Amino acid sequence: MNPLALGLRRGAIELRQILRSRKDLYTYLSTPLVFLGVSYWRSGTHGSGGGLTQLSLAGGIASTIFMFGLMTVPQFLFGDREDGTLLRLRGVPGAMTAYLVGKTLFVLATMAASIVLLLFGGALLLHAQLPQSPGQWLTLVWVLVLGIAAVVPMGAVVGSVLPPAREALALYMMPMVGLMFISGAFAPLRNLPAGVRDLASVFPLRWIAQGVRSALLPDGAKALEVSDSWQHLGTASMLAGWMLAGFLLAPRLLRRMARRESGSSLSEREQKRLAKTAY
Amino acid sequence: MTVTVPQRAAVDRAEQEPAILVSGLRMRYGRRDVLDGLDLRVHRAELFALLGPNGAGKSTTIEVLEGYRLRSGGEVSVLGQDPARDDPAWRARIGIVLQSNRDHGRWRVAELLDHFARYYEHPREPAELLRRVGLAAQADQSAATLSGGQRRRLDVALGLVGSPELLFLDEPTTGFDPEARRDFHALLRELREERATTIVLTTHDLTEAQELADRIGILESGRLTACGTLEELAAAARADSEVRWRGPDGEPRRLLTADPSQAVWELHQEFGGPIPDLEVRRPTLEDTYLGMVGADLDTTEAS
């Protein structure tokens, strides 16, 4: 079988594993459910579909993309490196390609399910509005696609350069969580100091969030944005920049990471891990 | 040199060349030479055991041969190819069982073996293989719930599922109970005899090496200091056989000699007949190994 087909099979098996394990199912459902809860609670009007519900849902969708891409993907790579999965794949012909295909399928599917849950769950339960015109649907699609393409390969880059220590992963996660608070996903960017706003504007979340808002909110809401406009051109070019950087770097760094995996480095880490748990 | 090569229908040219040929292998980490001009030859269909104290370079050697590590110098040919090329067709002919694996913990045992069988052109039947390693009852269990010994057996099954011509085992029986160890040894013998698989294993267990290996290599500070059959090693190490008997005074006697046959003959003359409680013990691998590597190194080995 060719690596592509094997990769799809791998992805399908791993997706099925979520459905098999109640714990996994809760883990994957919790993020969209929390965002739905936040949107319900923040609307104040309790589910009558006000503008704040809409704003929160847009923030939730953008944050989901950001979290999957730049937090979950690095975590997957980190875990698969640590437990020897990547080393196993290295010894099997074609398995590394299959792994990447499988993980991509897995991440895209779980992401899509979360977004669908937020979008339609919001509409059904919180009476939030879906995009109102074909134009807005189109905007939603290109923002989501470009947003995902901007964060997933970059997440793979991060995952392949993180040093193999739990502390490194935790240290990386902290600023990522911080970014969620300063990117305008839940609190208006306008209220933030210009310096913080500029910092957030370097990262994709700010742009994904603004793009999703432009698809879910009426056009008049752009008056609430920093520059009184949706900045579609800026969004598209920033996200495309991240995407290009990710697609350029990811294959090299993934290859380098795989090359560095060896049995002795694995057992060394394993011994360190056991030494730690012994205390 | 006595190497038992199993019966095979055809021994073509490719099978006559050694499975592994290494000359002058060097591996340098920083300013330290972990491997310092290692020479090694492993024949087709033989079981070769690599012994040596910790830090002697066993794992590094294996990893170079597996294509997991790039060497600093020397010539290496594994199944006729340079492992540094890491070519998929070559990979498919090699099976690897690593020391510590916890990978694919969420996968069910049968699901995992079945999946990995698909990467190979001529895989072994996964269900049959699972039975062979004694994991049929655990087929629907997730890999993370296996005990240590069961997990090792799953690793062995994963190493074998592609019907490799050459199998690398890095300390395969660590954590096995005696029964699991016996079953595992039977599996290795079967591989060698029925499938003519070449097997290279590293081990700390001298009894295991003595029992299984056709030839044994002893690695010390980055070089192969001895290599051959058990008899050849014993001869090289001048390890003595032990002769025990009961003297005319009823006291037990003991003699260490390179020529036990001569000693026993002389005893016969002395006694003018049967020798009470006669016992002759050939040097074990342990005697030989300790004679070569030194008792001080063995204490680090045991730790």
Side-chain angles (χ1 to χ4, degrees):
Chain A
M1 226 189 243
N2 73 58
L4 197 71
L6 284 164
L8 294 177
R9 180 179 277 271
R10 237 190 112 83
I13 291 175
E14 293 195 321
L15 284 169
R16 209 164 56 220
Q17 282 162 0
I18 301 184
L19 300 178
R20 232 158 45 192
S21 143
R22 193 169 294 178
K23 194 176 141 235
D24 284 358
L25 202 57
Y26 289 153
T27 311
Y28 283 96
L29 281 176
S30 66
T31 317
L33 288 182
V34 163
F35 285 136
L36 277 177
V38 167
S39 306
Y40 172 74
W41 173 71
R42 289 225 3 217
S43 66
T45 48
H46 297 294
S48 63
L52 274 171
T53 315
Q54 217 75 1
L55 269 173
S56 292
L57 274 180
I61 292 173
S63 301
T64 301
I65 294 179
F66 177 77
M67 284 165 69
F68 265 98
L70 284 169
M71 295 166 86
T72 311
V73 170
Q75 234 169 331
F76 279 157
L77 281 174
F78 184 90
D80 288 341
R81 197 150 42 125
E82 200 184 37
D83 69 10
T85 299
L86 293 181
L87 190 58
R88 155 99 53 223
L89 300 169
R90 230 194 129 179
V92 177
M96 209 49 110
T97 312
Y99 170 81
L100 290 178
V101 172
K103 269 290 176 262
T104 309
L105 172 67
F106 181 90
V107 168
L108 292 183
T110 45
M111 255 181 179
S114 305
I115 292 169
V116 163
L117 212 61
L118 276 172
L119 211 54
F120 294 96
L124 284 172
L125 302 171
L126 312 178
H127 310 290
Q129 278 175 3
L130 293 171
Q132 293 298 295
S133 63
Q136 274 196 318
W137 275 110
L138 188 68
T139 304
L140 184 67
V141 170
W142 76 251
V143 169
L144 292 183
V145 169
L146 209 53
I148 290 170
V151 292
V152 171
M154 205 43 100
V157 168
V158 173
S160 51
V161 297
L162 272 181
R166 285 264 153 218
E167 294 78 7
L169 186 67
L171 214 62
Y172 163 75
M173 288 297 177
M174 281 194 282
M176 290 301 113
V177 174
L179 269 182
M180 311 234 308
F181 289 100
I182 62 162
S183 293
F186 297 104
L189 268 178
R190 299 171 75 111
N191 301 353
L192 294 172
V196 176
R197 229 158 43 202
D198 290 343
L199 179 69
S201 302
V202 178
F203 295 95
L205 178 55
R206 188 231 135 137
W207 302 100
I208 301 173
Q210 190 168 330
V212 176
R213 280 198 296 275
S214 78
L216 291 186
L217 289 159
D219 201 48
K222 68 182 171 199
L224 293 168
E225 299 295 335
V226 183
S227 59
D228 293 331
S229 94
W230 292 125
Q231 293 178 293
H232 277 164
L233 192 64
T235 304
S237 38
M238 270 315 274
L239 294 181
W242 274 81
M243 176 186 81
L244 276 178
F247 276 115
L248 273 176
L249 290 172
R252 281 157 221 232
L253 291 171
L254 284 169
R255 256 202 305 277
R256 190 188 70 138
M257 173 191 69
R259 227 184 11 245
R260 286 184 169 185
E261 282 307 297
S262 71
S264 38
S265 59
L266 183 72
S267 37
E268 226 167 80
R269 289 204 296 270
E270 179 77 1
Q271 261 155 24
K272 271 190 204 147
R273 193 182 66 88
L274 291 175
K276 257 180 218 163
T277 50
Y279 285 115
Chain B
M1 195 174 293
T2 51
V3 176
T4 40
V5 179
Q7 294 293 315
R8 251 171 295 143
V11 180
D12 56 21
R13 195 199 59 82
E15 298 203 6
Q16 282 169 338
E17 72 177 14
I20 296 174
L21 191 58
V22 174
S23 69
L25 173 60
R26 288 162 44 79
M27 192 74 201
R28 208 180 173 84
Y29 293 129
R31 296 171 67 185
R32 204 166 69 90
D33 277 322
V34 178
L35 297 177
D36 180 20
L38 180 95
D39 297 318
L40 176 68
R41 178 191 288 262
V42 177
H43 308 289
R44 296 262 174 180
E46 88 171 327
L47 199 155
F48 187 89
L50 201 55
L51 292 180
N54 283 337
K58 292 192 301 276
S59 291
T60 305
T61 306
I62 292 266
E63 282 174 9
V64 169
L65 299 178
E66 289 165 345
Y68 276 178
R69 257 179 211 284
L70 293 180
R71 60 187 181 270
S72 315
E75 295 298 314
V76 178
S77 159
V78 175
L79 298 180
Q81 268 195 41
D82 184 343
R85 278 181 53 198
D86 204 1
D87 151 50
W90 172 82
R91 272 255 164 268
R93 298 162 64 199
I94 287 172
I96 294 173
V97 180
L98 293 165
Q99 263 187 50
S100 50
N101 259 335
R102 296 181 291 118
D103 63 296
H104 292 90
R106 290 157 186 275
W107 291 56
R108 289 180 181 166
V109 170
E111 182 178 67
L112 186 59
L113 198 59
D114 186 72
H115 180 71
F116 276 109
R118 294 171 190 272
Y119 290 78
Y120 298 94
E121 226 168 294
H122 306 290
R124 291 183 65 157
E125 164 59 36
E128 192 272 329
L129 184 57
L130 219 48
R131 250 195 319 278
R132 189 60 196 83
V133 298
L135 284 178
Q138 282 76 28
D140 289 327
Q141 230 170 288
S142 69
T145 62
L146 295 178
S147 74
Q150 289 170 339
R151 175 70 226 208
R152 292 297 283 149
R153 281 184 270 160
L154 173 59
D155 288 336
V156 170
L158 285 165
L160 287 177
V161 76
S163 331
E165 285 168 50
L166 169 62
L167 180 68
F168 290 105
L169 296 155
D170 206 358
E171 292 175 27
T173 52
T174 314
F176 275 26
D177 59 37
E179 200 190 334
R181 185 181 301 255
R182 200 194 53 213
D183 288 349
F184 180 70
H185 288 178
L187 175 68
L188 290 190
R189 289 201 188 93
E190 180 189 302
L191 280 172
R192 190 183 37 167
E193 275 147 34
E194 287 169 22
R195 294 175 174 265
T197 310
T198 309
I199 301 170
V200 176
L201 65 85
T202 69
T203 182
H204 272 171
D205 186 343
L206 299 174
T207 327
E208 178 166 278
Q210 176 172 353
E211 222 170 277
L212 287 172
D214 298 309
R215 286 192 315 133
I216 295 161
I218 295 178
L219 198 61
E220 274 181 278
S221 41
R223 284 165 156 259
L224 208 59
T225 47
C227 186
T229 61
L230 184 57
E231 292 75 25
E232 287 165 347
L233 288 185
R238 296 178 205 283
D240 287 335
S241 296
E242 189 185 25
V243 181
R244 288 166 179 273
W245 73 98
R246 192 171 296 279
D249 52 358
E251 286 298 304
R253 299 282 167 82
R254 178 170 171 270
L255 176 74
L256 290 174
T257 171
D259 192 351
S261 172
Q262 173 75 21
V264 170
W265 189 76
E266 280 166 13
L267 280 171
H268 267 289
Q269 307 284 57
E270 210 179 300
F271 276 88
I275 312 160
D277 294 341
L278 176 70
E279 220 179 290
V280 177
R281 197 173 67 91
R282 288 247 158 226
T284 62
L285 181 58
E286 190 170 349
D287 303 329
T288 309
Y289 181 79
L290 292 185
M292 285 185 165
V293 179
D296 51 327
L297 281 168
D298 186 60
T299 48
T300 57
E301 184 80 1
S303 65

